[in-house]
Amino acid sequence: MSFLRRRKATERPHAEPHDIDTETDDVHDKKKTKPRPKLRPKRWSCVDTCYWLIGCIFSAWWFLLFLFSAMPASFPQYVTEAITGPLPDPPGVKLKKEGLTAMHPVVFVPGIVTGGLELWEGHQCAEGLFRKRLWGGTFGELYKRPLCWAEHMSLDNETGLDPSGIRVRPVSGLVAADYFAPGYFVWAVLIANLARIGYEEKTMYMAAYDWRLSFQNTEVRDQTLSRIKSNIELLVATNGGNKVVVIPHSMGVLYFLHFMKWVEAPAPMGGGGGSDWCAKHIKAVMNIGAPFLGVPKAVAGLFSIEAKDIAVARAFAPGVLDKDVFGLQTLRHMMRMTRTWDSTMSMIPKGGDTIWGSLDWSPEGYFNCSAKRLKNNDINTADKNGNGSLESTKRVNYGRIISFGKDIAEIHSHEIERVDFRGAAKGNNLTNATKCDVWTEYQEMGIEGVKSVADYKVYTAGSILDLLRYVAPKLMARGDAHFSYGIADNLDDPKYDHYKYWSNPLETKLPNAPDMEIYTMYGVGVPTERAYVYKLTPAAECYIPFQIDTSAEGGSEGSCLKGGVFSVDGDETVPVLSSGFMCAKGWRGKTRFNPSGIRTYIREYDHAPPANLLEGRGTQSGAHVDIMGNFALIEDIIRVAAGATGEDLGGDRVYSDIFKWSEKINLQL
């Protein structure tokens, strides 16, 4: 790689050509007595400085990790209690004192990116990495050989399966997703607390899968769905017939929705378990951070490989992410890689304008982004009318998921002049492809195609699909074969027997399992991405031509527009609307989406950040991943696993306006 060659050239002080030859002669011929010349002091280049800074950061990180791991287990707690006072018992300890013991086996279903992936076959650049983690763990290969890593983490852009000569497979067992990286837990805290009341590996199962693949392709390539079916049957058979409690997180929620349809569908498309398989084997599905109806963040990721934090970093340091620094075009490499991951398309918003809003309407209507609510997760505040939140005085057009310009995001739709991009010619394509070091589908659009996208000005959930099909046709051709984003008119139509509909709760029915329970458990009180203000970037032929406009600000402290991103209530990743609507309305009682009347419960956890650094990521966090360490959530899960029902927990616990927002959605039930 070019940056490695440049680095080698600067590793030794500057010397004349004969100086270098003299030094080489000294190494290979000890009889030579030519004196070694005096070398001039080294002058550091920008590359050397950057490597020094990166080295300092990594050294400090690993040193802190070493110190933490070397401490006695009781020392951090002793220091914390000396400063803050006695800590509450962890949920497992508390509930063990109450006499709770392990009863129902538990199944964990990890989401996107949190499960480890390891190399089983690779190209020459991956020599020595057999069965080493390419994803999760230390991420050592990411900074040692980044282009090789990106090559092996990518899937085939035509098939969505393995590229030739590469096999990357999911790590198995509880270690697959207990920690994402050293010191950064995912499932570890929940597993440890379950162990307190008697759970062990034979009563817990991590349903690890390759989260890059489309859901049906995990069965085609790895038979993962069949393995989940067999393991659940084994858990039930070896635990006295007690049904399992399934705990999916994030995209794992959609994956398990797919599984519940697959397991009962006839072979060869399905698992052939029969229409009563779920009723026989599943006590409850406790969904954490569920993107049931998708997330706007997925649109930004597919469109410009951005989210709020990346957009801010790109604005502050465009040279690092956009330009040819160290021989890497970071964002373009990331786009080329992630656009081969078909699973990302499962999280495109579902339900169109009916769910997410149109140009001048959205279910959230008004939202006060500076409103503060009482943060007390121990009090049941199930106010279904949402009386606990305040109304904002300024309307936010959340239905406009993408707007080109702040003014377009705010003015009435009648004032917007639009030119339809659909069918527009993709002209002025590059004549010299060598100009572009990393090829993406944007290079095939040309300047005219890029301009036509910006001229359409504003996109709602109903037009986002057409936008993605225009800018990423290869990606969406695979996506349309595996996923669907609409609302079913007639769920008895035989077309909905196809697997592409199984992960969309608006195009499929829940199982016939009236004794089963479904929970949606998510954080609230964290600003969460809902809509974006975009701008065109220069040099659009080779760079990613669209960028979040971080200069777009709302102009007031309580504004929901900051750094080009409109925020709403949620868990930082999934808006409340996506997590809560199905259990608040779509599945509530007997509906066409829930014909057997499976009981549904909403359990919200109002976000409270840690009071100090000693609390780590906090025990009352509502953030999308940190909520996995939330004591109230863990306690709810343990109680259900030990035999409790949703009614025993107290029914719904709601802090947001989800019931009010759901009533505004005109959906046939």
Side-chain angles (χ1 to χ4, degrees), residues 290-293 350-351 354-356 361 363 487 505-506 520 522 574-588 591 593 600 602 604 656-669:
F292 283 121
L293 302 178
K350 303 172 177 68
T354 299
I355 299 294
W356 294 93
W361 171 86
I487 300 174
L506 299 173
T520 181
Y522 54 89
V574 185
V576 164
L577 187 68
S578 180
S579 292
F581 173 76
M582 292 308 297
C583 284
K585 184 174 181 179
W587 289 332
R588 179 75 39 148
T591 70
F593 305 106
T600 63
I602 296 176
E604 293 184 345
S656 73
D657 289 341
I658 183 57
F659 284 101
K660 183 171 68 175
W661 294 341
S662 297
E663 285 305 310
K664 294 180 181 180
I665 295 175
N666 184 19
L667 179 67
Q668 177 193 349
L669 297 178

Side-chain angles (χ1 to χ4, degrees), residues 332 429-440 443-444 541-542:
R332 280 164 282 160
N429 290 323
L430 299 175
T431 57
N432 182 11
T434 59
K435 287 172 58 182
C436 298
D437 300 308
V438 182
W439 192 266
T440 70
Q443 277 80 62
E444 299 174 13
E541 286 187 330
C542 282

Side-chain angles (χ1 to χ4, degrees), residues 278-460:
C278 291
K280 289 180 177 178
H281 295 90
I282 302 174
K283 165 186 164 55
V285 184
M286 307 189 76
N287 303 289
I288 304 174
F292 283 121
L293 302 178
V295 289
K297 185 181 279 191
V299 175
L302 293 170
F303 187 53
S304 63
I305 199 64
E306 287 180 300
K308 183 177 181 178
D309 294 340
I310 293 178
V312 170
R314 189 178 184 184
F316 275 106
V320 174
L321 293 176
D322 288 334
K323 303 293 174 59
D324 184 10
V325 178
F326 311 144
L328 298 174
Q329 302 84 40
T330 309
L331 286 178
R332 280 164 282 160
H333 277 295
M334 289 297 293
M335 173 170 281
R336 186 173 64 173
M337 177 177 70
T338 58
R339 280 193 175 183
T340 69
W341 298 348
D342 290 355
S343 63
T344 59
M345 288 176 281
S346 71
M347 292 188 291
I348 294 173
K350 303 172 177 68
D353 294 1
T354 299
I355 299 294
W356 294 93
S358 58
L359 291 179
D360 294 310
W361 171 86
S362 66
E364 296 94 336
Y366 300 92
F367 183 72
N368 189 343
C369 289
S370 64
K372 302 296 183 182
R373 291 187 299 272
L374 178 67
K375 299 193 182 305
N376 185 349
N377 279 342
D378 295 325
I379 297 176
N380 187 320
T381 58
D383 182 354
K384 297 187 180 182
N385 295 316
N387 294 329
S389 67
L390 302 176
E391 297 284 352
S392 172
T393 57
K394 185 174 182 181
R395 183 178 181 83
V396 175
N397 295 321
Y398 286 120
R400 305 180 189 189
I401 294 180
I402 288 179
S403 302
F404 278 89
K406 178 187 173 185
D407 57 331
I408 299 299
E410 295 177 342
I411 63 177
H412 195 277
S413 60
H414 292 160
E415 303 176 56
I416 303 175
E417 296 181 5
R418 308 165 78 187
V419 178
D420 200 339
F421 70 96
R422 288 168 284 210
K426 297 182 178 180
N428 292 345
N429 290 323
L430 299 175
T431 57
N432 182 11
T434 59
K435 287 172 58 182
C436 298
D437 300 308
V438 182
W439 192 266
T440 70
E441 291 187 77
Y442 281 127
Q443 277 80 62
E444 299 174 13
M445 290 178 60
I447 298 298
E448 294 301 319
V450 168
K451 185 175 181 297
S452 69
V453 169
D455 286 344
Y456 195 66
K457 293 189 172 59
V458 60
Y459 296 84
T460 66

Side-chain angles (χ1 to χ4, degrees), residues 81-356:
E81 291 188 351
I83 297 172
T84 65
L87 296 175
D89 283 335
V93 174
K94 172 187 173 182
L95 298 181
K96 183 179 180 181
K97 291 178 180 178
E98 291 184 16
L100 271 64
T101 58
M103 182 176 180
H104 294 275
V106 293
V107 176
F108 310 114
V109 186
I112 193 169
V113 314
T114 54
L117 300 173
E118 60 187 18
L119 184 70
W120 281 81
E121 179 185 3
H123 294 163
Q124 186 173 358
C125 68
E127 184 72 26
L129 297 181
F130 176 68
R131 293 204 65 198
K132 296 291 194 302
R133 287 201 183 197
L134 295 188
W135 189 267
T138 63
F139 282 90
E141 298 311 313
L142 174 59
Y143 59 87
K144 285 197 294 186
R145 29 186 150 176
L147 296 184
C148 180
W149 174 84
E151 176 187 2
H152 286 74
M153 282 296 297
S154 299
L155 295 168
D156 186 276
N157 204 28
E158 300 292 335
T159 66
L161 295 168
D162 292 327
S164 176
I166 293 176
R167 281 185 294 149
V168 175
R169 296 293 182 265
V171 177
S172 60
L174 296 177
V175 296
D178 55 352
Y179 286 91
F180 177 62
Y184 191 87
F185 69 81
V186 184
W187 295 93
V189 177
L190 176 57
I191 291 171
N193 278 278
L194 284 165
R196 295 278 192 175
I197 68 165
Y199 280 91
E200 50 189 296
E201 197 146 11
K202 68 182 180 182
T203 51
M204 295 188 285
Y205 167 58
M206 182 72 71
Y209 59 99
D210 190 335
W211 44 262
R212 302 172 301 161
L213 300 175
S214 70
F215 300 160
Q216 192 70 5
N217 272 346
T218 65
E219 175 67 13
V220 170
R221 196 194 72 179
D222 299 334
Q223 296 76 54
T224 305
L225 299 174
S226 293
R227 296 174 191 276
I228 295 174
K229 176 177 180 284
S230 298
N231 276 283
I232 289 177
E233 290 171 347
L234 180 63
L235 285 171
V236 173
T238 56
N239 285 277
N242 288 322
K243 301 176 188 178
V244 299
V245 171
V246 183
I247 312 166
H249 174 247
S250 192
M251 191 187 75
V253 170
L254 303 179
Y255 187 64
F256 197 74
L257 274 180
H258 182 98
F259 170 82
M260 287 194 294
K261 294 299 292 186
W262 173 88
V263 74
E264 295 191 344
M269 188 181 296
S275 60
D276 60 349
W277 191 93
C278 291
K280 289 180 177 178
H281 295 90
I282 302 174
K283 165 186 164 55
V285 184
M286 307 189 76
N287 303 289
I288 304 174
F292 283 121
L293 302 178
V295 289
K297 185 181 279 191
V299 175
L302 293 170
F303 187 53
S304 63
I305 199 64
E306 287 180 300
K308 183 177 181 178
D309 294 340
I310 293 178
V312 170
R314 189 178 184 184
F316 275 106
V320 174
L321 293 176
D322 288 334
K323 303 293 174 59
D324 184 10
V325 178
F326 311 144
L328 298 174
Q329 302 84 40
T330 309
L331 286 178
R332 280 164 282 160
H333 277 295
M334 289 297 293
M335 173 170 281
R336 186 173 64 173
M337 177 177 70
T338 58
R339 280 193 175 183
T340 69
W341 298 348
D342 290 355
S343 63
T344 59
M345 288 176 281
S346 71
M347 292 188 291
I348 294 173
K350 303 172 177 68
D353 294 1
T354 299
I355 299 294
W356 294 93

Side-chain angles (χ1 to χ4, degrees), residues 531-548:
Y532 304 89
V533 176
Y534 268 86
K535 65 180 181 180
L536 286 177
T537 60
E541 286 187 330
C542 282
Y543 298 152
I544 297 170
F546 309 110
Q547 181 176 345
I548 294 174

